[in-house]
Amino acid sequence: MRDMLRAALAGAGFDVVQAEDGVHGLEVLAGCDPDVIVTDVNMPRMDGLTFIEQLRANADKRAIPVLVLTTENDAQKKARAKAAGATGWIVKPFDPKKLVDAINRVAP
């Protein structure tokens, strides 16, 4: 899935930096300032919702838009994501054009 996401976004002209899971994502973010973050809910070591909560606790990263791209469609998880600070929710499988459009809408 990460390879498909990278191909879709790189093909649209975005510079893509990837992480394996939420823990790695926070480590990667210590060294970069992305315009937008795309995360899944289901990841090893740290799920996407906890990742968003921890990201939003960091004042330097709080304003970065976060899109959740997931197979999940559970109302409780959507509510938790919104409360944590998610900017948007996209259900897989994703349409690359719609994903690029969503990123362009939320990017500064």
Side-chain angles (χ1 to χ4, degrees):
M1 182 53 68
R2 285 194 319 262
D3 290 340
M4 288 175 40
L5 189 58
R6 174 184 286 283
L9 297 179
F14 292 105
D15 291 326
V16 179
V17 177
Q18 291 185 313
E20 297 171 7
D21 56 34
V23 172
H24 188 225
L26 293 174
E27 292 167 355
V28 168
L29 285 169
C32 68
D33 289 311
D35 292 326
V36 177
I37 295 170
V38 179
T39 187
D40 199 341
V41 170
N42 300 308
M43 298 185 291
R45 296 197 302 163
M46 179 188 295
D47 67 53
L49 302 178
T50 303
F51 167 78
I52 296 168
E53 291 165 349
Q54 291 195 15
L55 174 74
R56 294 299 188 223
N58 179 338
D60 293 336
K61 307 293 184 186
R62 191 171 292 145
I64 301 170
V66 178
L67 296 175
V68 178
L69 177 64
T70 185
T71 58
E72 298 287 340
N73 203 13
D74 178 68
Q76 287 181 317
K77 287 185 180 176
K78 283 183 181 180
R80 182 174 166 209
K82 184 176 179 180
T87 309
W89 186 278
I90 301 168
V91 178
K92 294 178 195 172
F94 69 95
D95 175 315
K97 183 181 179 336
K98 289 181 181 179
L99 177 62
V100 167
D101 289 346
I103 290 171
N104 284 325
R105 277 194 306 275
V106 301

